[in-house]
Amino acid sequence: MRSENENNRTPDEETRVPEENGGSWKFWRNAKLSIHKKLFFVLLVVSAVSFLILSIISLVGMHIIWEGVGAGGERMGHKAAEFTEDFAEDTIRGQMISVVAEKASRTERVVSLAAEEVEYISGHLDRILRQPADYKPRILPQASQGPVPSGKTYVNISDRVRQTEGITAFNEEIWLASNIADVFESMADYYPACFAGSIHGYLIAADVTADGSDKTFSDYFKRDYDPRTMGWYTLGTGRQKPAFTNVYTDSNGVRSVSIAMPYHYPDGSEAGVVGIDFNPKEVDDVISVIESSDLIMGDASFVLSPTGEVMFSTQKEGVLAISETRRDLRNSEEISLAHAAAIMTQGGTGIATITADGKEYYLAFAPIQSVGWSLGIVTNTESVLKLAQQARENIDAQTDMFRHALRSLFIRLAIWAVILLVGIFLVLFFVSEKVSTIFVKPLLTVIDGVNGIAQGDLDRKLNVKTGDEIEHLADCVNTMTDELKEYMNNLSSVTAEKERIATELDLATNIQEGMLPGIFPTFSGREEFDLFATMDTAKEVGGDFYDFYMLDEDHIALTVADVSGKGVPAALFMVIAKTVLKNATISAAGAYAGGGEPDFAAVVGQANRQLCENNKEKMFVTVFFGVLDIRTGVFAYVNGGHNPPLIGRAAGGAPRAGGSLTWDYVQIENPGFVLGVRKKASFTVEHLTLRRGDTLFLYTDGVTEAMDEEGNLYGEEQLKGYLDRAGNKETAQAILAAVKSDVSRHVGAAEQSDDITMLALAFYGKQSGQEPAPQEA
Amino acid sequence: MKKEFIQSEAAGPNGWTVWGVSGRIDITTAEDAYARGEEIVRKSGKTALDLSEVDYVSSAGIRVMMRLFDLAEDNGKEFTVVGAAGTVARVLKETGMDTLLQMQETVNDLP
């Protein structure tokens, strides 16, 4: 039922959005969502927000890592590239040094071997000349006699030498020295020429022809050749060690290097110079074969003589090629080259950057110590730098690839994160929905059960076993239902009892009201007066009553009374009081027949005594009782502790005849005591005379003590004031209605606390009769 | 303005116990008033109900006084009323209570 009422809420209520502070919270509170939806939203929002924060942190973290790693990677790449560049350069330079040292060492071995052969020849000749007894004279073919086989030893004494030296004097020496022939011929396989030039001008030699044909001799050779004029002779003479010529082209057009040193007579003086021709190709081979290596890009290698001349070179032209002019590189115009050449000739080892032929080179050099040469290898710096540059570019490219890979990884991760976010959000959605349902299901069971109970099914039991507050709630509802059931069982009996009592009270009220003369006009046909009475009971059956009855043709008794208290006791007491008073009055009314007036004080006294009988509860009644003689207007009255009535004196006739009333309270000299409590209470009869048009107004304290909401009494002053202002009515009924209306206005919304009983009698007197009615004052 | 119904008890002159009541003595407060009055009357020799702070006395209130007067009389004790004024005094007069109870204007007038 409740939910239906909620659904019937006006749209205005539903869409009302709070405007105060904390609007969202109020909105949440005011949003008429079911717990299921609220729980669902809370779960969903909390989960989603947590996940969102996590995702943002992850993405931001990833982004920071990406930035950091990317930048770091880039820096690292640059550093690595720089390092690689330096490293490549250093490596190449280092390798150049190592290669040049190794080449120098190999060259050294090649030339040392040849030098050792020369030393051997020299020593052998020295021994031959020192120990002639050990050798037989040997006669070798003479060049002048014609060609000799290739590689065979021969002797040449040119014509000019014969003429100048008188060579025959040395024949024995020539024959002795000719024993070197075996040595020469043993070396023929390795050296193209072995020779010994005597200080006396003869030559012993063995030549190997290029094609293996016999050695032929030129005319010059036979006629003018003098070994002592040869370069190799002048080079070798005076030496302790073999000396090397520069590379030269011999008479046969073959490039050659001669190695020469002296040989000696037994006395130590020089007997001549021996030498061999050394094929420079061996050195060329050594220096030109660069080890296969990725890094070494030797552009050229060369051998520098102690005098700074290029002896061997892989360069065919340029400053590093073999120079016909025997130029000294130490004097080169290129300072860097000249400086490096100077270090090389001094036997230095190292690497330098030089400029040659307008290009920059690295020059690595190492000495060939046994011959005083220096081997140099040059590599174009551009190629080295290019290599290093390539390495750097390679690393840079790798770095870029790394960055791109990282970027695409990040994007992939971000896409996956978003997909995951959506996926997890969907999962959260369904999980939240499910969890909400699980949580709310017991509640729905409770709601369903409570609805059933609300529709009257008190035997319904809620079966919720969740072990939480909802189970507790369900238990409470079960207990409440049990108690409700028991209560309702009790209630129905109590209600039945109450209903019975209420019915009886209603009955009592009806009986009470029925006891009052209630049919108006009561005295139809009576023109002497107009009488009207009302009693508005308060909630409960009350104790007020009014009464009027004719005692005989001319006397009407009026009573207004108020029993103390309320309810059935008061009603019963009222019945007794009314009955007792009426009985006593009627009993006494016989006095009229005798022409006198009954003793109303005694009447009231008798009623009082009767009421005092067995009145242990001290119930009492206030009574205003009076009897009007409608012929004379004399009104005899007794007051038993009751409010004094009002009398409206007419001026200019009755209101219905256009006159007006002036109201005042009836003067009561002896108020008398209330009836029912004091047996000995005495009462006094008082009289007043009504004139035509005068009106009596009797009431109970329900009128003057009617209270408004503030607790203010209507009051006697106000009652009189109102009657003066508005009591000028044509009928008694109209007067009562006006007063009732004014009292109601005063009471307002307050509850009527007491019975309001009023009685009004307008006296007109006998219109025709023996005794005229009293005239107006 | 309605006064709250409050009761108090104090020693007065000449051995009187002054029972002070404020507010209204009507059908709603009569039972309380009688219970308290009965207690005071039973333990005191002379009890004076001070009505100077009472706005209104209904017939139920009159009955309370009447019953307490009878209770005092039956037990050889005294019960009276002081300080009644205005409507209260008029009601007491109209109902004849003034003749029953030797009413005094103030507490100091108590004999």
Side-chain angles (χ1 to χ4, degrees):
Chain A
M1 291 300 285
R2 185 169 166 72
S3 62
E4 250 179 53
N5 290 340
E6 288 185 352
N7 289 340
N8 291 338
R9 223 171 244 103
T10 64
D12 192 30
E13 277 176 318
E14 279 183 350
T15 54
R16 188 179 55 220
V17 177
E19 289 163 6
E20 306 92 315
N21 290 339
S24 59
W25 174 240
K26 287 217 166 194
F27 173 74
W28 175 252
R29 279 196 312 187
N30 289 359
K32 304 299 180 187
L33 297 175
S34 65
I35 289 178
H36 180 239
K37 281 183 180 167
K38 282 179 179 169
L39 196 61
F40 167 66
F41 280 129
V42 165
L43 281 173
L44 192 64
V45 166
V46 167
S47 313
V49 166
S50 307
F51 186 72
L52 205 63
I53 289 170
L54 212 62
S55 305
I56 290 168
I57 290 171
S58 303
L59 286 174
V60 168
M62 276 164 64
H63 186 72
I64 289 170
I65 290 169
W66 176 49
E67 290 276 314
V69 170
E74 202 171 355
R75 271 201 308 279
M76 194 175 75
H78 289 321
K79 283 280 178 197
E82 279 174 21
F83 175 75
T84 305
E85 201 175 51
D86 291 346
F87 180 73
E89 197 178 332
D90 287 351
T91 303
I92 290 170
R93 287 160 60 105
Q95 287 204 359
M96 282 177 74
I97 290 171
S98 117
V99 166
V100 81
E102 191 262 339
K103 294 283 177 197
S105 170
R106 282 177 61 186
T107 311
E108 177 100 49
R109 279 203 302 282
V110 170
V111 299
S112 294
L113 199 63
E116 279 166 17
E117 302 283 22
V118 174
E119 278 183 307
Y120 175 73
I121 296 168
S122 167
H124 204 89
L125 267 175
D126 284 358
R127 195 161 55 247
I128 290 170
L129 292 179
R130 202 166 51 241
Q131 296 165 347
D134 294 348
Y135 301 92
K136 291 175 183 173
R138 184 171 174 176
I139 296 169
L140 296 173
Q142 297 255 345
S144 58
Q145 291 169 340
V148 293
S150 174
K152 288 298 176 184
T153 313
Y154 64 89
V155 176
N156 181 40
I157 307 164
S158 69
D159 295 340
R160 195 151 59 94
V161 168
R162 280 176 194 281
Q163 285 165 11
T164 56
E165 294 290 333
I167 200 69
T168 51
F170 307 107
N171 276 340
E172 285 187 9
E173 184 186 312
I174 294 169
W175 295 336
L176 182 64
S178 292
N179 281 300
I180 199 69
D182 293 340
V183 175
F184 280 3
E185 283 165 19
S186 71
M187 293 184 180
D189 290 342
Y190 307 104
Y191 301 103
C194 299
F195 43 83
S198 166
I199 194 171
H200 300 297
Y202 63 86
L203 175 76
I204 301 169
D207 291 338
V208 178
T209 57
D211 53 1
S213 60
D214 289 352
K215 170 71 177 174
T216 57
F217 304 104
S218 65
D219 289 342
Y220 161 76
F221 189 68
K222 288 182 283 192
R223 193 172 56 241
D224 291 322
Y225 181 80
D226 186 342
R228 293 169 299 186
T229 63
M230 291 293 115
W232 55 268
Y233 192 98
T234 52
L235 176 73
T237 187
R239 302 272 182 174
Q240 297 295 320
K241 287 279 181 183
F244 285 72
T245 66
N246 281 335
V247 178
Y248 63 92
T249 308
D250 66 11
S251 53
N252 297 320
V254 177
R255 282 181 70 241
S256 185
V257 172
S258 296
I259 308 166
M261 74 177 287
Y263 62 96
H264 305 86
Y265 289 120
D267 62 357
S269 62
E270 269 188 22
V273 172
V274 297
I276 58 174
D277 276 358
F278 174 76
N279 189 349
K281 192 173 176 296
E282 288 190 47
V283 174
D284 286 343
D285 286 348
V286 171
I287 66 170
S288 65
V289 175
I290 301 295
E291 296 290 325
S292 165
S293 161
D294 284 336
L295 278 175
I296 292 296
M297 305 284 282
D299 289 320
S301 36
F302 63 96
V303 175
L304 205 63
S305 78
T307 53
E309 299 157 28
V310 176
M311 294 172 65
F312 303 92
S313 179
T314 56
Q315 291 283 79
K316 298 298 178 229
E317 52 189 23
V319 73
L320 297 178
I322 296 163
S323 163
E324 295 303 324
T325 57
R326 309 191 62 161
R327 125 189 106 217
D328 186 345
L329 288 187
R330 290 174 297 183
N331 299 328
S332 169
E333 288 177 359
E334 198 56 64
I335 302 298
S336 59
L337 178 57
H339 186 64
I343 296 170
M344 286 175 78
T345 54
Q346 286 161 19
T349 302
I351 188 161
T353 306
I354 61 160
T355 305
D357 303 325
K359 289 185 178 172
E360 197 173 68
Y361 295 93
Y362 290 123
L363 167 59
F365 48 91
I368 307 168
Q369 283 175 340
S370 60
V371 291
W373 299 348
S374 182
L375 174 65
I377 297 176
V378 291
T379 301
N380 195 336
T381 53
E382 268 183 27
S383 57
V384 172
L385 291 176
K386 198 173 167 187
L387 204 65
Q389 190 69 33
Q390 277 176 355
R392 182 189 182 131
E393 282 169 4
N394 196 20
I395 288 174
D396 281 347
Q398 292 292 331
T399 306
D400 278 352
M401 276 172 64
F402 169 72
R403 273 180 65 84
H404 281 111
L406 202 64
R407 183 188 173 81
S408 63
L409 177 69
F410 176 75
I411 291 169
R412 275 205 309 279
L413 282 177
I415 290 169
W416 274 112
V418 169
I419 292 170
L420 209 62
L421 182 71
V422 172
I424 289 181
F425 187 81
L426 287 175
V427 170
L428 284 178
F429 188 90
F430 289 113
V431 168
S432 300
E433 166 68 24
K434 196 80 186 165
V435 168
S436 308
T437 305
I438 289 170
F439 269 100
V440 171
K441 201 173 176 184
L443 267 182
L444 293 178
T445 307
V446 172
I447 290 169
D448 185 48
V450 169
N451 276 335
I453 291 163
Q455 283 162 15
D457 182 6
L458 292 181
D459 293 323
R460 188 145 178 179
K461 291 285 174 216
L462 303 185
N463 186 21
V464 176
K465 298 293 172 201
T466 53
D468 54 13
E469 289 86 345
I470 298 174
E471 182 180 333
H472 183 61
L473 175 67
D475 290 345
C476 288
V477 169
N478 285 337
T479 308
M480 188 189 75
T481 311
D482 290 343
E483 286 174 359
L484 193 63
K485 200 170 154 187
E486 192 183 335
Y487 174 74
M488 283 180 76
N489 287 337
N490 293 339
L491 189 66
S492 52
S493 54
V494 169
T495 307
E497 180 64 18
K498 273 197 168 179
E499 274 176 3
R500 190 181 62 77
I501 291 171
T503 308
E504 288 176 2
L505 282 176
D506 278 349
L507 209 57
T509 306
N510 288 341
I511 291 168
Q512 184 191 23
E513 285 177 356
M515 290 178 72
L516 304 180
I519 300 164
F520 297 95
T522 311
F523 306 107
S524 52
R526 288 276 177 183
E527 293 177 350
E528 299 92 332
F529 59 90
D530 170 25
L531 185 149
F532 202 84
T534 60
M535 184 173 87
D536 292 305
T537 51
K539 258 196 320 194
E540 298 174 55
V541 58
D544 276 14
F545 71 91
Y546 61 84
D547 204 359
F548 50 84
Y549 42 87
M550 297 301 293
L551 294 179
D552 60 15
E553 269 301 296
D554 300 323
H555 295 90
I556 179 169
L558 307 175
T559 308
V560 169
D562 179 5
V563 175
S564 66
K566 284 184 166 56
V568 173
L572 286 174
F573 198 77
M574 165 254 172
V575 171
I576 296 167
K578 180 174 178 289
T579 309
V580 163
L581 190 60
K582 190 172 181 177
N583 285 346
T585 308
I586 290 170
S587 299
Y592 284 123
E597 185 183 85
D599 182 357
F600 294 120
V603 166
V604 174
Q606 184 192 342
N608 176 49
R609 278 192 301 280
Q610 283 183 295
L611 288 172
C612 285
E613 300 285 338
N614 299 318
N615 183 14
K616 288 178 185 166
E617 288 302 312
K618 302 292 178 193
M619 303 285 291
F620 67 84
V621 61
T622 64
V623 176
F624 182 87
F625 168 79
V627 176
L628 174 68
D629 184 333
I630 55 179
R631 292 169 304 155
T632 62
V634 173
F635 183 56
Y637 56 93
V638 177
N639 189 26
H642 197 82
N643 313 55
L646 282 130
I647 180 167
R649 293 294 187 184
R656 68 177 184 185
S660 64
L661 296 172
T662 304
W663 292 87
D664 215 339
Y665 283 100
V666 173
Q667 289 300 312
I668 296 172
E669 299 303 327
N670 187 351
F673 203 72
V674 296
L675 277 67
V677 284
R678 307 213 62 83
K679 278 185 179 175
K680 295 175 183 171
S682 62
F683 302 92
T684 310
V685 180
E686 296 179 48
H687 293 86
L688 63 84
T689 303
L690 295 179
R691 292 180 284 266
R692 288 180 194 276
D694 287 355
T695 303
L696 273 174
F697 178 79
L698 280 55
Y699 62 95
T700 59
D701 58 5
V703 175
T704 49
E705 292 169 11
M707 276 182 295
D708 64 10
E709 285 172 288
E710 299 288 309
N712 299 312
L713 302 181
Y714 184 70
E716 294 176 347
E717 289 297 314
Q718 197 169 173
L719 175 61
K720 177 184 176 307
Y722 179 74
L723 287 171
D724 277 339
R725 274 198 320 280
N728 211 29
K729 305 292 184 193
E730 292 188 7
T731 64
Q733 184 176 6
I735 292 172
L736 298 191
V739 172
K740 178 68 178 45
S741 155
D742 197 48
V743 170
S744 296
R745 178 198 54 75
H746 174 79
V747 169
E751 194 182 345
Q752 182 186 338
S753 58
D754 204 354
D755 299 344
I756 295 176
T757 303
M758 296 180 286
L759 183 151
L761 182 141
F763 176 68
Y764 304 127
K766 289 262 188 193
Q767 298 303 308
S768 58
Q770 300 97 341
E771 289 180 57
Q775 293 303 304
E776 289 167 23
Chain B
M1 284 294 290
K2 268 185 189 173
K3 275 188 194 145
E4 209 167 328
F5 180 73
I6 298 171
Q7 303 186 68
S8 66
E9 187 182 336
N14 307 324
W16 287 88
T17 298
V18 179
W19 169 33
V21 174
S22 69
R24 300 162 53 88
I25 309 177
D26 57 17
I27 190 74
T28 60
T29 57
E31 279 306 307
D32 280 354
Y34 181 76
R36 183 69 182 275
E38 183 183 11
E39 184 191 327
I40 295 170
V41 167
R42 285 192 189 282
K43 75 180 180 188
S44 311
K46 300 190 282 186
T47 305
L49 171 61
D50 184 356
L51 297 174
S52 54
E53 289 298 314
V54 171
D55 299 331
Y56 171 70
V57 174
S58 74
S59 58
I62 299 294
R63 192 165 148 248
V64 167
M65 290 175 219
M66 217 168 288
R67 290 169 70 190
L68 289 174
F69 179 82
D70 286 349
L71 179 71
E73 205 175 47
D74 294 349
N75 290 280
K77 295 178 176 180
E78 288 184 59
F79 178 84
T80 189
V81 165
V82 297
T87 309
V88 175
R90 187 176 49 71
V91 168
L92 291 179
K93 193 162 180 273
E94 282 171 5
T95 53
M97 288 299 287
D98 60 334
T99 59
L100 181 68
L101 311 165
Q102 298 301 311
M103 293 202 332
Q104 305 295 330
E105 280 192 22
T106 67
V107 172
N108 294 327
D109 298 330
L110 287 167

